[in-house]
Amino acid sequence: MIAASEVPLSELTILVVEDEPSIAEVVGLYLQRAGYKVQTAADGKIAMNLLMKEIPDLVILDLMLPEIDGLSLTRWLRDRSDVPIIMLTARREEIDRIAGLEMGADDYVVKPFSPQELVSRVRAVMRRIKRASDDEQDAHLSEPPLTFGDLVIDAPSRNVNISGNDVQLTAKEFDMLYLLAQHPKHVYTREQLLNRIWGGAEYIDPGTVTVHIRRVREKIEADPSNPTRLVTVWGVGYKFEP
Ligand code: CA
């Protein structure tokens, strides 16, 4: 993953889900002025369709929305992605606000709010996310290699080695193998792998997982058609055998 600091600010996209056109417009304007790319959705259903195609860097979400309300959308989105969510709520919606935070929204702003305050909150959440991802990368750097017999998987160098020979894996192939190998015998469904490795992007066909499993088997298994490491659990998913 690319650290946020390496991405020019203009490439960070924010989806604003708000049915009141005047609010959506002002918020969009301020965010653009702050250097963000802005998408807008006027109801929950439009938002869902956009989110199925692409997960933005942050979502600003009004709780009271036509078609699909903000809480349902938060729940739906959290099943798929860790994208930061800032809720827009009315003062009387305190119960919903708490429910939203419990469902995994990152922050909220109470209407009426100053657009400048919202921009500050957006920046704060982006900073927090960046710090967390930096910490995660630092933790990654100090992780010892995973060793299973002649198979060695080294996260800091993203290197896979069998009996002293390097194996070339693509980024996604490595991420998938590493996730499975970190939790030997833990069965992951294809959907879980899709969510964890591909960030829950629904436009990606679940068959992608099958294809990647097959490719990794061809690279690490002595007999790819009778795998002993990346094992299929029929009707469920896949697991790594240590
Ligand atoms: Ca509304």
Side-chain angles (χ1 to χ4, degrees):
M1 203 177 79
I2 303 168
S5 63
E6 292 164 20
V7 179
L9 194 55
S10 62
E11 282 184 17
L12 293 175
T13 302
I14 298 177
L15 173 63
V16 178
V17 190
E18 167 63 79
D19 58 313
E20 287 158 69
S22 58
I23 297 182
E25 198 187 327
V26 172
V27 165
L29 215 64
Y30 270 77
L31 290 171
Q32 277 167 355
R33 214 178 284 165
Y36 298 104
K37 249 175 31 190
V38 178
Q39 278 187 315
T40 51
D43 67 48
K45 206 169 170 93
I46 297 172
M48 206 179 258
N49 285 329
L50 285 171
L51 289 164
M52 276 191 227
K53 291 197 199 94
E54 194 176 4
I55 304 283
D57 297 290
L58 187 140
V59 177
I60 293 174
L61 182 60
D62 184 28
L63 280 190
M64 298 289 276
L65 287 170
E67 300 294 335
I68 298 164
D69 68 89
L71 282 184
S72 306
L73 198 59
T74 301
R75 193 183 300 118
W76 177 86
L77 187 52
R78 269 295 165 264
D79 281 344
R80 287 160 180 78
S81 167
D82 290 331
V83 61
I85 301 171
I86 298 179
M87 297 179 286
L88 303 180
T89 78
R91 207 163 291 280
R92 64 180 181 282
E93 294 165 4
E94 197 191 344
I95 299 284
D96 288 348
R97 193 149 69 226
I98 292 163
L101 289 172
E102 278 172 359
M103 265 171 224
D106 296 83
D107 201 356
Y108 65 89
V109 174
V110 178
K111 290 178 178 179
F113 56 86
S114 85
Q116 198 49 56
E117 185 199 342
L118 179 61
V119 171
S120 308
R121 297 291 187 89
V122 166
R123 287 208 177 104
V125 168
M126 292 285 202
R127 270 199 303 274
R128 213 150 66 213
I129 301 297
K130 185 184 166 330
R131 251 199 320 270
S133 99
D134 285 354
D135 288 351
E136 197 183 313
Q137 282 188 336
D138 290 349
H140 229 50
L141 288 177
S142 55
E143 268 164 43
L146 303 175
T147 304
F148 308 94
D150 56 357
L151 173 66
V152 182
I153 306 168
D154 185 51
S157 64
R158 299 180 66 85
N159 188 56
V160 176
N161 189 289
I162 297 175
S163 311
N165 298 313
D166 282 347
V167 179
Q168 299 301 323
L169 296 185
T170 65
K172 296 292 187 207
E173 287 169 1
F174 181 88
D175 289 344
M176 198 174 63
L177 175 62
Y178 187 63
L179 174 66
L180 289 164
Q182 269 182 307
H183 309 98
K185 293 193 180 290
H186 180 107
V187 181
Y188 285 88
T189 65
R190 285 202 300 185
E191 187 165 39
Q192 283 170 333
L193 290 172
L194 210 54
N195 283 336
R196 296 284 292 270
I197 308 298
W198 281 268
E202 288 210 342
Y203 60 91
I204 292 175
D205 189 272
T208 306
V209 173
T210 319
V211 171
H212 277 72
I213 291 279
R214 198 182 63 225
R215 288 198 198 131
V216 176
R217 278 176 179 160
E218 282 163 5
K219 294 175 182 181
I220 68 161
E221 297 281 358
D223 178 3
S225 47
N226 291 301
T228 55
R229 294 285 193 210
L230 286 187
V231 177
T232 302
V233 181
W234 291 108
V236 190
Y238 302 98
K239 66 176 176 177
F240 182 90
E241 281 292 336

